[in-house]
């Protein structure tokens, strides 16, 4: 394979600097049936999140008498990718659903709703690199929209190593041809990053590069957090105005 | 309040309004909800459309790739229609393989496209008997506030109207627009006693799943029909349904012509 | 494809007139284990229907406290068609099972048997055009044989548009190369057609052709109904004689 | 009356009759029920047979198509045997993928055909290593009044005896009869205490699922055996079973010779 | 196919006489989590058996109020055979699991543990001819190791017809190219073979050959039984010494 | 005693020891259990290893066969990693298709092998774009006494180190050793309050499934990380984990070098 130059003159293929996010668009409360919902674009990712709950658990034997169970389904529409994807979960979706659920479960006050379920469904309508982070950001907003009591908000972003450089929020080409990919999710509380809720990594990074990546991810997460907040507040403002 | 009591209350309300010839959202019996169509919403798809029918939302994406023709139609493209009623769209949908509801939805939408000969499949032959274009029509429900059928059919034909055959990607010459030559339109009605309610909402469906779907083409001919639900249909209502379906389809077809 | 002439000199390929049914053969009570059963041939269709019930529902959570549930399984034997069919339900069978169940459920007095199930199984041993109508006719007789209380009898037949002509009970070639296919099922009560229990259509028909088709279907259904009655009565006569 | 009480009553009745050496339907211990075989009942199949063994009914259909040989037998046809215990045939059968009962049934029937070399597979090679005839033996139970095993084995060999290789359909020359050169016959017995009951009915099976199936070929050699059920078999009974199986199979083979 | 000579000068391909077993190695109690376990080699077969129980039944509706249910899972590792095997049960495994379960269930005192389950899992790590017999021998020892009350011990071995000769414990080549294969399992009690617990056969054998095969199998089973006993006793001796 | 009470007792015991900085089996916080590796245990596999990590036992077998490359890497071999948590290995494992636990296990192990470029996939091309070697890495758990992750990763690389490419069997020239050029090592830690417990046992896991796995290569670079479990990780602990993972991996890598 010919060497692909992903960085030229200090700029990335799409003109971004190393520490810049892709454009983000967030809409809250876009679905009628769901208890909470959010449509989110992050670069070319287009995802829809819905939250149902707290509600009864089916099948019943899955219910936990001491707290709500949290379920998360990351699902790609067949038309969301270059080559049509066969419907239904594949191994990748199952892994992403697991780590995403674990990240969100840390902030949901599940002990307030014993024997019930909080179901989070995310549909990837168009996928680009970082779809799991886009989904987590959308899901987090949908949880707020559904009024689920939470100890903070989850905000997610990836960093990558590309042509030896650590960059924020990699797009498809950087993910495919870069040297490493590292998605994070953070818990943000009182406007500050408190801890890491999701951490994965694959590729090749030195200890220092990882450290550099974490710092960059935190910066990006704070920017996304502001957009999440604005979108939520905009909805509530609109609702108040309508009343 | 438990869900079944809510259903009872909703049904009583729908029925009491109907006794006065009114629908709970103020529509006329034969009136569709507001229709919004956005096309080309998914750049990675060969064609796509998001349809809003009131609060019901359905997205359809079209993917195309070369593949083998059916043995009995060696010179024609292949249509494969699939519907996913993902649990995001309704509290009653479950994850898992397609159930009878989503299979029926996909098959009726498919029939409308296929039987109206909306797509000129002869123009999708690459090499007779060896290679033709496969068209995947994927219906993805987003919000089910009733009448997914008509919303899906509308999204399907809208997405097809904006589909580009991705010939370049497969080194098969220049891209070209998918040859669409008919505009099938699906009209679904709910039967409540002697009344025919066109484009029923979720709340109206609380009185029962008594549906008839009729699909007509641009010559007002019928290309598909499906009675769906446990009820009996009188001959008289059958004829009435044909008339209303032709008329409503004509109106909706005007919207399609603007795509 | 070369144009196939399906109608010549006012006759169909098998010599039938436009309004003629294929030969029908009905045998009642042919299975020991089932509560009711019927073997039926309709042209080259050969189908076997069995009814079990009212009986306990498994799994239990499917039971309805207010009435019996009705289940219907349309299943094709692997050897029933030209090219061997893989065992198990396909999408076509699932759809046919659904609309057939809905047709029969309208006449079964389900409210008499709360918490129970009426199971109707139909095996297609040989398939030709119209197998769903043959199955419904067999199932209807099997329900009578099982002694299930009903408000009428369901009789089913299709019409087709072939070379521009509306014909009754199309066979394989007419189904494959015709312009439209329209299966009906009717509820017959006190010897008269009362209403439509199943209605599907695909192809291309004008409003008038549909009307013409319905009239033709009603005529055919009445003939089939007579054969269903005779078959049932023959069985009861035989049973009485044997006693 | 609940089903389990009925089973108890039935078992007591079967056992009390057996104490006098009698079976509830009056048969001798080593007597088969009446056998009826109808062949060529499904014209669309390459071969078919409906077998009635008393009230037990099994249909077998044979389909053939060209396909790839197994790598270790590049010059031989392939047999694929499948059994469906459809819920039509018994209140105890469930819809769904084959369970262990139907898998065992299919595999034992298959073994009888295969190990007796009933089909001359060498004559079913079309092009060595590339293309051979695949024979699908599909067992379809219609009414299970006991001993589906022997009924299925009998229907399978009967259907094969009337099978035509559909060469013309695949443009591979003239049709010809499937080369069958042996007549395996399965004999299943129920063991109740010291008694051996040949061809058990459903009612007799209420005493327990203690079966032994023995399949012999036309030279009275054994080609398949299967002990089925949670019970212990004495050496003495094992030898007795061999004798009775050879003898009964000879009788049944006479019927097959008339096909 | 060229004729393969499987017997030359009265010896088999691996030098064994007609009535000789392949080398056998048995280790008891090799797993920590299982209640009982056994690793066994029989020729090139390498199998691991584990027993769990008596324990609660899941799902509960499978429980039998009058006795323990016995479950048996014969499972081949993907790497256990020449060509990689797809994970999960195939038809062959399902049949072997059934007849093996039935063989072991005859000796387990299931009536002592109503509503519970005895689960027997056997993994085939490397397969050669006779893997079902190796598994049964391992399972039988694992049951003893788990302390499950039994009326005897099950010991299993196959015989084959090879070049017209009846031989004991056939290996792969004899199984593939021989004329018949006949696996047995016996119940041994008080040091004597009491009855047949598993019996299968395929191939072509005369009545006399079957008889000869049974006698040979009984001889082989007694030898295996001694090895099973020794392995069990060795473990208990070791445990006593350690105390 | 019911299982949940046992879990409570176990947790209390683990926690009370930890308060004194001790582990229940006497190990230091950053100490692995005893590691035993046996290779070439399955002759029919192209490579194999049995790893014991204390009482945890995992077997990995490698199978190789020619197959098609991925379209985007036409000149490289293909790795397929699969894990089966068979019910033999733990009372909590169920038969059936892989659940999320076994999928995560397989994918993390796969990532370590793949991202460290441990296998020189370019040397596994047979014919560009047509045929390459497929490597199946099958993880078979035998006894789960905790930390299957590290045991599986260790067994996988050990098995690969002893794998022979079976070229002769497929008539593709002489057999040759699989080209392995890196030694990824996985280190999994359990987080309990402020403590980091390397290589946790089953008993220690009773305090919660709070794991972080970090995989490093022979240059001490990170090639894979996975936080697994419902807990929050502080930045401080994250850096501590990186240090401990590098250090422990170095020690384990020494063992691998002796294979």
């Amino acid at each position: 394979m010919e060497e692909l130059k992903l960085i030229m003159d200090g700029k990335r293929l799409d003109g971004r600097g190393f520490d810049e996010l892709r454009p983000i668009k967030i809409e809250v409360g876009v679905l009628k049936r769901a208890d909470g919902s959010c449509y989110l674009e992050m670069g070319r990712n287009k995802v829809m999140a819905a939250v149902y709950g707290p509600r009864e658990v089916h099948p019943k034997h899955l219910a936990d008498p001491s707290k709500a169970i949290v379920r998360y389904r990351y699902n790609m529409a067949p038309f969301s990718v270059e080559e049509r994807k066969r419907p239904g979960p594949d191994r990748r979706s199952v892994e992403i659903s697991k780590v995403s659920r674990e990240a969100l479960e840390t902030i949901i006050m599940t002990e307030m709703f014993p024997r019930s379920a909080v179901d989070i469904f995310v549909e990837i309508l168009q996928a680009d690199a970082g779809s799991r982070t886009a989904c987590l950001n959308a899901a987090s907003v949908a949880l707020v929209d559904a009024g689920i009591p939470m100890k903070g908000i989850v905000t997610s972003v990836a960093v990558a190593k590309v042509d030896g450089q650590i960059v924020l929020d990699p797009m498809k080409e950087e993910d495919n041809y870069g040297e490493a990919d590292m998605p994070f999710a953070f818990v943000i509380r009182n406007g500050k990053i408190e801890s890491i809720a999701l951490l994965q990594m694959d590729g090749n990074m030195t200890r220092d590069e990882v450290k550099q990546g974490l710092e960059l991810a935190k910066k990006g997460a704070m920017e996304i957090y502001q957009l999440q907040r604005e979108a939520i507040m905009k909805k509530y403002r609109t609702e108040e105005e309508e009343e | 309040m438990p869900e079944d009591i809510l259903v009872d209350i909703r049904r009583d309300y729908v029925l009491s309004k109907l006794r006065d010839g009114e629908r709970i959202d103020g529509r006329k019996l034969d009136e569709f909800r507001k229709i919004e169509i956005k096309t080309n919403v998914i750049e990675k798809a060969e064609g796509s459309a998001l349809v809003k029918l009131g609060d019901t939302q359905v997205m359809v994406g079209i993917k195309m790739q070369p593949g083998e023709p059916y043995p009995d139609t060696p010179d024609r493209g292949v249509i494969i229609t699939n519907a996913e009623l993902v649990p995001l769209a309704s509290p009653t949908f479950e994850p898992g393989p397609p159930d009878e509801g989503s299979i029926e939805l996909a098959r009726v939408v498919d029939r409308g496209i296929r039987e109206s000969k909306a797509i000129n499949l002869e123009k999708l032959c690459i090499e007779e008997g060896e290679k033709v274009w496969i068209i995947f029509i994927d219906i993805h429900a987003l919000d089910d506030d009733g009448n997914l059928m008509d919303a899906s059919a509308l999204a399907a034909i809208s997405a097809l109207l904006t589909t580009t055959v991705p010939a370049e990607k497969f080194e098969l010459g220049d891209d070209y627009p998918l040859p669409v030559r008919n505009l099938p339109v699906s009209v679904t009605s709910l039967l409540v006693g002697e009344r025919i309610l066109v484009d029923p909402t979720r709340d109206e469906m609380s009185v029962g799943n008594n549906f008839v779907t009729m699909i007509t083409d641009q010559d007002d001919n019928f290309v598909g029909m499906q009675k769906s639900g446990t009820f009996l249909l009188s001959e008289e209502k059958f004829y009435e349904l044909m008339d209303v379906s032709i008329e409503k389809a004509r109106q909706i077809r005007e919207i399609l012509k603007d795509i």
Side-chain angles (χ1 to χ4, degrees), chain B residues 64 69-70 72-79 113-135 165 176-182:
Chain B
M64 293 184 68
Y70 290 122
D72 52 341
T73 52
D75 59 344
R76 292 188 196 183
V78 168
I79 303 172
I113 306 289
R114 190 179 300 275
E115 301 296 339
S116 68
K117 300 185 168 47
I119 305 170
N120 191 340
L121 294 175
E122 285 86 350
K123 298 221 167 148
L124 297 175
C125 180
I126 301 168
E127 194 190 332
E128 188 171 331
E130 296 291 319
K131 221 194 221 179
V132 300
W133 285 104
I134 314 287
I135 307 169
V165 182
Y176 57 98
L178 185 72
V180 176
R181 56 182 180 188
N182 205 334

Side-chain angles (χ1 to χ4, degrees), chain B residues 51-53 56-58 60 146-156 186:
Chain B
V51 163
K52 294 191 194 181
L53 192 55
T56 290
Q57 292 189 53
V58 174
V60 166
N147 197 11
L148 279 180
M149 182 68 81
D150 293 351
S152 300
L154 205 51
S186 164

Side-chain angles (χ1 to χ4, degrees), chain B residues 30 32 246-256:
Chain B
D30 69 346
F32 263 77
I246 289 175
E247 194 200 319
K248 303 316 293 180
R250 278 185 194 155
Q251 293 172 11
I252 293 170
R253 204 170 287 114
E254 289 309 309
I255 306 175
L256 281 176

Side-chain angles (χ1 to χ4, degrees), chain B residues 81-146:
Chain B
T81 306
N82 177 62
E84 281 206 85
L85 300 185
V86 291
L88 168 127
S90 165
T92 64
F93 295 164
E94 307 262 354
D99 65 353
E100 62 175 31
S102 55
I103 289 173
E104 185 182 40
L105 174 64
R107 286 176 63 84
V108 173
V109 170
D110 181 271
R111 238 169 268 160
I113 306 289
R114 190 179 300 275
E115 301 296 339
S116 68
K117 300 185 168 47
I119 305 170
N120 191 340
L121 294 175
E122 285 86 350
K123 298 221 167 148
L124 297 175
C125 180
I126 301 168
E127 194 190 332
E128 188 171 331
E130 296 291 319
K131 221 194 221 179
V132 300
W133 285 104
I134 314 287
I135 307 169
F136 289 98
I137 303 176
D138 280 296
I139 301 167
H140 217 75
L142 295 179
D143 209 359
D144 175 18
D145 196 40

